Amino acid sequence: MARQGNAAIIEQFIADGVPYMFGNPGTVEQGFLDALENYDELQYILTLQETVAAGIADGYARATGRPALLQLHSGVGLGNAIGMLYQAKRGHSPLVVIAGEAGVRYDAMDAQMASDLVAMAEPVTKYATRVTDPNSVLRVVRRAMKMAMTPPRGPVFVALPLDVLDAVNTEPVIPSTYPRTESLPVPSLVEQAAELLAGAEKPLVLVGDGVSASGGQRELTRVAEQLGADVWGVDFSEVNLDARHPLYRGQLGHMFGEVSGEAVKDADAVLIVGTYVFPEVFPLLHSPFREDARIVHIDLDGYEIAKNHPVSLGLVAEPKATLAALSGRLDEKLSPADRERAARHVQARRAAQPARPEDDGSLLHAFLRELSAQAPEDVMVFDEALTAAGPLNAHLPGRLPGHWFSTRGGSLGVGIPGAIGIKLAHPDKTVIGFTGDGGSMYTFQALYTAVRHEVGAKFVICNNRSYKLLDLNIEQYWRERGVPFHSYPSPFDLSHPDLGFTEIARGFGVDGLRVDEPGQVTHAVKRMLEDDKPFLVDLRTTEGA
């Protein structure tokens, strides 16, 4: 059927079951945004800045496991979204990113807002292209959908010139095809993996989001228990293992390689699943593992296997299926002594678990303790709390698959839009986004979108009136270089002028409360949870300089 490309592209997205387009409009996209008014099946979610649009799309994609459609405005809009697209790429979020431009016929003119969009997008996407043939629009869109969803998943980019979309399009609308990736190695390699791991005295498991992407949490838990292996999260921003499990030790790989090195240095057998090692800002340049350590690495992304450090056996395969097969082989390979040692270790870790989260008497702990008591069991959390993440995860640990998400990639400002995206994906759930005072100001205008589209996410700003993470990191810098401790650099301080978050929120139509002392906690938590409207809590955790 002949129609404009503007209509054809919308029909394609509808055929692919895409319910939302997240974006910020511009002149060069006006044709298909005008056409969008004729279709009820695809809703435009308006944001006031492209970083917010990308953050909401990222949260939605993570919460659904489906592609999220992100519309950006030409080169300037793409530029605004670059940091958040980097976040999505590092986190393997399946985003389909489209941006308009004036037209192919203007290529030689070096006109206003003209730029090489594909070159801009390539560093922060897994694939970037530009459509120049009016009858290849839908073919390219389907390719983009497929590539976004094919592991390793990630954002893809398509530049759509205005004159290409204005032209007559005769392409048929066909739902996109997503390759099936359920796979496991040949039996002899699973056997080899079991042989390498069985008999270990100090086994270790390093796990990342490839496990959650495959739905392999149960299989991962079974293998860890069979081995009696401590489990560390690496590039771990979703529920890959119940954080309350006695074998779970926490997360590695955020900042300093020495931390990871200390955690893995004694292991004689290591299983790495669904991640690479190690993703620190300042990683060790040498291998942190024992020279005689037997290392098995499982991931669907072959690039990540042995990327930084050698392994004994690398298996390019789906984690869930491979872990299930490995568990079956371990049942046959493990000796009675292996099973006894594993059971003793699990029991010792369970006995060492505190009966309740540690509580230092701070306002932060008081708030989180009350929130954990009042929130429903299936509360969904987006954690960008950064320096408050320890207490947050003690009181509200990631337990249920698909119900806990944390920041990844290092881009600030993901907490508020991420929670909005998750709530759009799960409107029947209680969704709470935690962020800091510094991080929140990158994307605070996302509250407008929550109100406009009636998205009842909740937001907690852990307000220490500083970039506290920078304070902690420069302390490490001073220690490493023998620099005497002194006042933190003044750009790290956010105490002046005081940021009135509840007042700013009300300007967007969001109600909120400021919490300064423990006596205000119970009322604030009750008020936050009492309805399904957006609500913000300004939690004054510590004072700035």
Side-chain angles (χ1 to χ4, degrees):
M1 180 180 75
R3 73 284 199 213
Q4 271 193 327
N6 291 310
I9 192 172
I10 296 168
E11 292 167 5
Q12 180 65 52
F13 290 132
I14 292 172
D16 282 324
V18 177
Y20 301 115
M21 182 188 299
F22 307 98
N24 181 262
T27 302
V28 294
E29 298 85 24
Q30 58 193 353
F32 72 82
L33 293 179
D34 186 36
L36 184 60
E37 295 296 301
N38 298 316
Y39 297 86
D40 295 331
E41 302 94 325
L42 180 58
Q43 181 183 1
Y44 192 89
I45 303 297
L46 176 64
T47 69
L48 300 183
Q49 207 261 7
E50 288 86 357
T51 303
V52 173
I56 297 176
D58 180 73
Y60 181 85
R62 295 179 67 180
T64 61
R66 299 279 301 169
L69 176 59
L70 172 62
Q71 173 263 318
L72 304 175
H73 172 47
S74 196
V76 290
L78 175 59
N80 285 341
I82 289 291
M84 202 63 75
L85 289 177
Y86 175 82
Q87 175 97 357
K89 182 182 181 183
R90 298 296 299 205
H92 303 298
S93 291
L95 306 187
V96 174
V97 186
I98 60 174
E101 55 174 63
V104 174
R105 58 182 172 172
Y106 301 117
D107 278 0
M109 301 303 293
D110 191 24
Q112 175 78 357
M113 293 195 298
S115 57
D116 187 341
L117 299 186
V118 172
M120 287 179 65
E122 280 179 335
V124 292
T125 58
K126 64 176 289 191
Y127 172 72
T129 190
R130 181 183 189 230
V131 182
T132 56
D133 176 12
N135 278 302
S136 292
V137 175
L138 303 193
R139 179 183 295 110
V140 172
V141 167
R142 287 192 292 269
R143 183 184 306 158
M145 298 287 285
K146 180 200 76 167
M147 294 188 71
M149 287 294 292
T150 303
R153 299 185 306 187
V156 299
F157 175 82
V158 180
L160 297 168
L162 182 109
D163 51 6
V164 172
L165 292 188
D166 279 346
V168 173
N169 183 289
T170 59
E171 293 178 276
V173 173
I174 305 167
S176 298
T177 300
Y178 306 139
R180 300 293 296 269
T181 57
E182 294 92 336
S183 60
L184 65 152
V186 296
S188 62
L189 292 177
V190 179
E191 176 84 8
Q192 186 179 345
E195 290 177 352
L196 288 166
L197 296 171
E201 292 293 325
K202 296 181 178 179
L204 194 68
V205 175
L206 304 176
V207 58
D209 289 339
V211 169
S212 64
S214 72
Q217 292 93 339
R218 181 179 300 178
E219 290 77 9
L220 184 279
T221 303
R222 171 65 175 153
V223 169
E225 290 174 346
Q226 286 176 288
L227 295 172
D230 286 341
V231 179
W232 287 94
V234 181
D235 214 21
F236 184 111
S237 61
E238 298 183 6
V239 177
N240 302 289
L241 177 74
D242 187 335
R244 302 171 303 174
H245 195 286
L247 292 176
Y248 182 61
R249 308 303 296 153
Q251 295 198 41
L252 302 173
H254 288 303
M255 191 60 63
F256 301 105
E258 290 79 8
V259 177
S260 298
E262 184 63 26
V264 308
K265 65 183 177 65
D266 294 327
D268 57 350
V270 182
L271 173 62
I272 306 170
V273 191
T275 184
Y276 73 98
V277 290
F278 286 97
E280 296 100 352
V281 176
F282 302 105
L284 293 176
L285 298 179
H286 61 274
S287 175
F289 301 106
R290 281 172 40 171
E291 288 188 8
D292 62 343
R294 307 183 300 277
I295 303 174
V296 176
H297 195 161
I298 302 168
D299 203 317
L300 262 177
D301 186 358
Y303 171 72
E304 301 292 10
I305 296 175
K307 180 172 74 175
N308 292 326
H309 307 299
V311 302
S312 306
L313 177 65
L315 303 176
V316 180
E318 188 218 29
K320 178 182 173 72
T322 306
L323 288 167
L326 177 60
S327 177
R329 298 306 299 140
L330 287 173
D331 269 337
E332 300 178 11
K333 289 287 183 183
L334 293 172
S335 68
D338 291 334
R339 299 176 194 276
E340 182 180 353
R341 185 207 60 79
R344 284 199 312 268
H345 186 71
V346 173
Q347 183 56 38
R349 286 299 191 200
R350 182 174 287 114
Q353 285 184 306
R356 60 183 59 87
E358 294 183 9
D359 192 333
D360 61 4
S362 67
L363 180 61
L364 176 61
H365 275 274
F367 181 86
L368 293 170
R369 183 175 62 250
E370 184 65 27
L371 181 57
S372 67
Q374 291 195 37
E377 278 293 308
D378 62 350
V379 62
M380 301 184 76
V381 170
F382 194 105
D383 171 16
E384 195 200 8
L386 298 181
T387 55
L392 172 59
N393 292 317
H395 291 276
L396 289 170
R399 301 179 296 105
L400 303 175
H403 283 68
W404 177 88
F405 306 87
S406 71
T407 180
R408 54 192 182 183
S411 301
L412 284 180
V414 297
I416 294 177
I420 294 172
I422 293 169
K423 181 66 174 177
L424 275 168
H426 298 282
D428 58 325
K429 296 290 183 74
T430 298
V431 178
I432 307 174
F434 289 84
T435 184
D437 48 329
S440 70
M441 291 308 296
Y442 282 65
T443 53
F444 207 83
Q445 63 270 51
L447 296 182
Y448 171 90
T449 301
V451 173
R452 179 184 177 98
H453 296 284
E454 299 181 343
V455 183
K458 315 298 180 180
F459 313 101
V460 178
I461 297 179
C462 301
N463 184 357
N464 54 33
R465 304 177 72 193
S466 68
Y467 291 119
K468 189 63 177 177
L469 186 61
L470 297 183
D471 292 349
L472 300 177
N473 289 343
I474 202 167
E475 288 178 5
Q476 175 76 8
Y477 177 87
W478 290 336
R479 280 191 293 269
E480 291 176 350
R481 290 156 178 77
V483 176
F485 277 39
H486 51 279
S487 298
Y488 300 122
S490 58
F492 297 2
D493 173 56
L494 298 177
S495 63
H496 178 74
D498 186 55
L499 292 167
F501 289 110
T502 56
E503 291 83 0
I504 303 171
R506 289 190 187 101
F508 287 111
V510 174
D511 200 5
L513 287 173
R514 171 172 161 168
V515 177
D516 293 282
E517 55 188 45
Q520 300 170 313
V521 163
T522 300
H523 170 67
V525 172
K526 181 180 179 181
R527 173 65 188 86
M528 181 173 70
L529 299 177
E530 71 182 5
D531 58 31
D532 198 35
K533 297 179 179 179
F535 192 86
L536 181 139
V537 172
D538 178 5
L539 184 63
R540 298 291 177 122
T541 56
T542 60
E543 291 299 305

